[in-house]
Amino acid sequence: MLKEMFQVIKKRKQKPLSMQQQLVGEQTELKEQSISSDLEENFQTLKKLFHIPKNNDVKVRELYIEGLNKKACLLFISTISDVKSIEENILKPLLTNKSGKEIKEIVSIQAVTEIHLFKDAVKNLNQGNTVLLIDGCSQGFAMDCPNFQGRTIEKPSTEILIKGPKEAFIEKVHVNISLIRKKIKNENLVVESIDVGARSKSEVYILYIDDLANDKLVENIKNRLNRLDVNSIQNLSLLEEYIEERSYSLFPSILSTERPDRAATFLEDGYIVLLMDNSPDCLVLPATFWSFFHSPEDHYLRFLYGNFTRALRMAAMFITVFTSAIYIAITAYHAEMIPSELMLAIAASREKVPFPAVVEILMMEFAFELIREAGLRVPSPIGPTIGIVGALILGQAAVQANIISPIVIIVAALSGLSSFAVSDISLNFAVRLIRFMFILFSAIMGIYGMTAFFVAGLYYMVSIKSYGVPYLAPMSPSYKSSSDTIFRRLLRNEKFRPGFLKPSDLQKKQ
C-alpha cells in the first residue's frame, strides 16, 4: 500500500513532457525500428523522420521495377547528393532493367550496402547517400552518391613554407584522406571511423599505420571518443577541447596541422591522426613540446640551414619570454648589473615618465597585443596597414606625451616581434601568456622571482604527459630515438622512430 502511494506521489511530482521532448522521444523510437516488408509503412516512417513534405530538399521518387515486378521508393537529399549520378547510375538501370537480377547487380554505383534499421537509413541519407526501399523486402539499400560542396585544394594559410609541398587540407574529409594516401602508399594505413555527437552524428576518422602504431595507444584514443557524451561536435577544433587531458594547462597536448605532408610524416613515425568533415586541418596524437617547436621546413632545408632556423626560433622564444621581464628586474632591483653609462641613459629617458617600469611594460605589451589582434580581424588588404601605422603613431605619441620611455618601445617591439617566430598557433599563445607571468614575477622579486617561476615551469613540463607520453621526451626522460629536439641530425643518421611512442618497429632503417 505504501509503495503504491509513493509511486503516485512520484508521478505527480514529475513534470509533463513538452511537445518537443515528445517529438524527440518518438523519433528515437522510430529510428530503432527495423525496416518492414511493407513499402507504405516504411515510407510513412521516413516521412515522419524527415518531415516530408515540409523539407523541400528531401526528394522522393516512387517507381516500378519491372524486372522484379515490385514497387519501390527512392529517397535522397538533393542538396548534398549527386543528382546526375542518381539519374544515370540508379534510376535508369532500375527502370530499364527487365531481368530478375539483384539490386546490387542492376545499379552501376560504387558501393551498395544493405540496411535493416531506420537509423541506418537516416544516417546514410544525412551523409548524402540514396536509400532504396522495395515492397515485400524487409531491408533497404544504401547507395553511395554524396556531393557536398566545398572549396578546392589551396596553399596552406597558417603554416607557410618557402620550400616544400604547397597543398593544404580542406573541409572535405575524403579529399583530406586522399591527400594522405597520396603520400603514404601503404596497405597498412588504416582509416577507421567513430560517430560522435548524439544529434550531429559526426564521423571522426582515425588514421594510423597498423604495423607501426602502438595498439594500446590506438585503443586509448578510441575509448576516449566512444565515451564522449555530447549533443554535437561540428569540427576538430571543438573535439580537441573534449579529448585533451588538461583543459586548463597553458601548454597544448594535441598538435593541429593543415599540412598533409606533415601529417604523413607523423603517421610514418607511429603517431595517430584524427580527421573530420568541416575541418581544414588534422589532430596529431600524442604531442610533445618538440612537436610544436619543429617546422616541416627544418627537414626540407639542408642540414645546416635547417638547424640555423631552429637556433633562431629557440633564441626568439627566449627573447619574447624574458626580454621585458629582465628589463623590469634590472631597472627595479638589480641596477648594479648594467654599465653606469647605460643606467644613466635609462634614467634620463624615464625622468619625466610618471609610471614605474612594470606599468610601462604592461601598457606597451597590452597595446601590442591589441594591434596584433586588430590586424588579424580586419579585412586582409588593410590589416598590415593598421598594424604598421597603429604601432608607429601610438608609440611616437606615447613617447612625446611622456607616458612611455623610448627604451620601453624598443623592449616591447623586440619581445613582440620575436613571438612571430613561433609558428605553431597553440605554442605561440602559450609563450605570449607565459611572457606576462614572467613580467609579474620579475616585478615582485626581480631575477629571483623569474628564476623561481622558470624552475617551477620546467618542473611542471617534466611532470605532464600527453596520452601517456612525457611532454619533454625524448630529452627528458631519455628514449631511444633519433634525438630530434633542438637540433636535428642528418637524414641518413635518423635511424630510429620516437621510442616514447613504443612503435611496433622502432628502426626506420635496417
Side-chain angles (χ1 to χ4, degrees):
M1 186 69 180
L2 287 172
K3 187 176 180 181
E4 293 176 356
M5 289 176 62
F6 280 124
Q7 288 178 348
V8 171
I9 294 171
K10 188 176 180 181
K11 286 181 180 179
R12 288 179 179 175
K13 287 183 177 180
Q14 288 178 347
K15 294 181 179 178
L17 294 175
S18 64
M19 290 295 292
Q20 188 176 6
Q21 290 174 327
Q22 291 177 7
L23 180 61
V24 171
E26 183 183 351
Q27 286 192 324
T28 304
E29 290 179 4
L30 289 175
K31 288 179 184 178
E32 295 300 327
Q33 291 180 6
S34 299
I35 296 173
S36 71
S37 57
D38 188 339
L39 178 62
E40 184 61 29
E41 182 182 336
N42 294 334
F43 178 59
Q44 292 301 325
T45 301
L46 287 174
K47 279 183 70 175
K48 290 180 182 178
L49 288 171
F50 279 95
H51 309 285
I52 301 172
K54 190 190 297 183
N55 250 339
N56 288 329
D57 61 346
V58 180
K59 305 300 181 183
V60 180
R61 176 70 184 269
E62 296 182 21
L63 61 149
Y64 177 76
I65 304 176
E66 188 174 349
L68 300 177
N69 193 25
K70 291 180 179 180
K71 293 181 179 180
C73 179
L74 197 70
L75 294 95
F76 59 92
I77 301 176
S78 60
T79 50
I80 58 175
S81 299
D82 190 343
V83 179
K84 187 176 180 181
S85 177
I86 294 170
E87 181 71 29
E88 293 180 357
N89 301 322
I90 299 175
L91 271 175
K92 280 185 180 180
L94 288 174
L95 293 173
T96 57
N97 178 70
K98 296 184 180 180
S99 63
K101 293 181 180 179
E102 294 183 1
I103 294 298
K104 294 181 180 180
E105 298 175 354
I106 297 173
V107 298
S108 54
I109 207 76
Q110 280 185 339
V112 180
T113 56
E114 296 180 2
I115 54 176
H116 299 274
L117 299 174
F118 281 105
K119 67 178 182 181
D120 297 325
V122 171
K123 179 181 177 181
N124 276 279
L125 286 168
N126 285 328
Q127 289 177 342
N129 298 331
T130 299
V131 170
L132 176 66
L133 300 173
I134 302 174
D135 193 23
C137 185
S138 60
Q139 62 186 16
F141 298 91
M143 304 174 207
D144 187 35
C145 52
N147 185 29
F148 289 94
Q149 300 302 313
R151 60 191 175 98
T152 58
I153 299 171
E154 299 173 357
K155 293 182 179 180
S157 58
T158 58
E159 298 176 81
I160 302 171
L161 302 183
I162 298 173
K163 191 174 183 180
K166 299 297 187 291
E167 293 176 330
F169 288 132
I170 63 172
E171 286 77 9
K172 285 186 176 182
V173 68
H174 294 292
V175 176
N176 297 342
I177 294 172
S178 71
L179 290 173
I180 292 178
R181 283 201 177 273
K182 185 174 75 171
K183 293 169 174 56
I184 304 178
K185 298 177 176 67
N186 188 340
E187 68 279 5
N188 291 311
L189 177 59
V190 177
V191 180
E192 295 187 43
S193 66
I194 293 177
D195 289 341
V196 296
R199 284 183 175 273
S200 64
K201 299 294 183 184
S202 304
E203 281 189 303
V204 178
Y205 291 84
I206 307 170
L207 281 71
Y208 60 93
I209 298 180
D210 191 48
D211 59 346
L212 283 182
N214 185 279
D215 293 336
K216 291 183 179 178
L217 182 60
V218 174
E219 286 301 318
N220 181 13
I221 293 170
K222 287 181 184 178
N223 291 335
R224 283 175 182 267
L225 293 172
N226 285 320
R227 287 199 304 264
L228 289 178
D229 184 15
V230 61
N231 274 337
S232 174
I233 297 178
Q234 295 294 338
N235 52 55
L236 287 175
S237 300
L238 300 175
L239 178 68
E240 180 180 356
E241 190 171 338
Y242 282 103
I243 64 174
E244 64 182 351
E245 292 185 327
R246 291 174 176 79
S247 301
Y248 295 101
S249 174
L250 274 178
F251 296 100
S253 58
I254 299 175
L255 176 69
S256 176
T257 178
E258 63 174 347
R259 299 188 61 89
D261 56 318
R262 195 179 185 192
T265 302
F266 278 114
L267 284 169
E268 289 178 329
D269 279 341
Y271 289 83
I272 290 129
V273 168
L274 301 183
L275 291 169
M276 273 184 77
D277 261 323
N278 309 314
S279 296
D281 53 10
C282 72
L283 298 182
V284 179
L285 309 170
T288 63
F289 172 80
W290 309 109
S291 304
F292 300 96
F293 173 72
H294 296 162
S295 170
E297 201 168 35
D298 299 342
H299 280 80
Y300 294 144
L301 294 172
R302 295 182 67 235
F303 172 70
L304 291 176
Y305 307 159
N307 281 329
F308 175 68
T309 59
R310 283 195 180 181
L312 283 178
R313 199 177 304 128
M314 182 60 73
M317 191 180 299
F318 276 93
I319 289 172
T320 190
V321 167
F322 291 111
T323 302
S324 298
I326 289 174
Y327 172 78
I328 294 171
I330 288 177
T331 54
Y333 294 96
H334 313 285
E336 68 279 359
M337 295 179 63
I338 57 177
S340 303
E341 292 81 2
L342 179 58
M343 190 66 236
L344 290 172
I346 294 174
S349 66
R350 298 190 68 252
E351 185 177 2
K352 296 181 180 180
V353 177
F355 305 111
V358 61
V359 176
E360 283 186 88
I361 288 291
L362 286 175
M363 288 171 61
M364 281 306 302
E365 293 284 1
F366 188 66
F368 192 93
E369 293 296 331
L370 282 178
I371 293 171
R372 183 210 295 254
E373 194 67 18
L376 289 174
R377 305 304 169 198
V378 298
S380 55
I382 62 174
T385 307
I386 286 181
I388 296 170
V389 174
L392 288 173
I393 293 175
L394 285 177
Q396 184 67 24
V399 171
Q400 290 182 351
N402 294 324
I403 297 175
I404 303 292
S405 59
I407 193 168
V408 169
I409 299 287
I410 298 172
V411 171
L414 181 63
S415 175
L417 291 173
S418 298
S419 67
F420 287 104
V422 183
S423 57
D424 185 86
I425 187 170
S426 297
L427 184 61
N428 187 282
F429 271 107
V431 167
R432 286 155 62 186
L433 290 172
I434 289 170
R435 178 178 64 195
F436 282 99
M437 298 179 75
F438 268 106
I439 289 172
L440 295 177
F441 273 86
S442 67
I444 296 170
M445 297 178 60
I447 295 292
Y448 301 107
M450 291 175 56
T451 305
F453 182 67
F454 182 69
V455 172
L458 282 180
Y459 179 81
Y460 175 72
M461 292 178 71
V462 170
S463 67
I464 61 176
K465 293 182 178 181
S466 172
Y467 292 88
V469 173
Y471 199 62
L472 288 182
M475 177 177 285
S476 176
S478 179
Y479 284 88
K480 190 173 185 180
S481 65
S482 295
S483 299
D484 186 10
T485 52
I486 299 177
F487 297 107
R488 75 170 181 89
R489 296 182 177 183
L490 289 168
L491 288 177
R492 60 174 173 267
N493 293 334
E494 292 186 356
K495 299 179 180 179
F496 300 101
R497 294 184 174 85
F500 49 81
L501 294 175
K502 297 180 176 58
S504 302
D505 185 9
L506 185 61
Q507 285 192 327
K508 288 184 179 180
K509 299 178 181 179
Q510 302 297 330

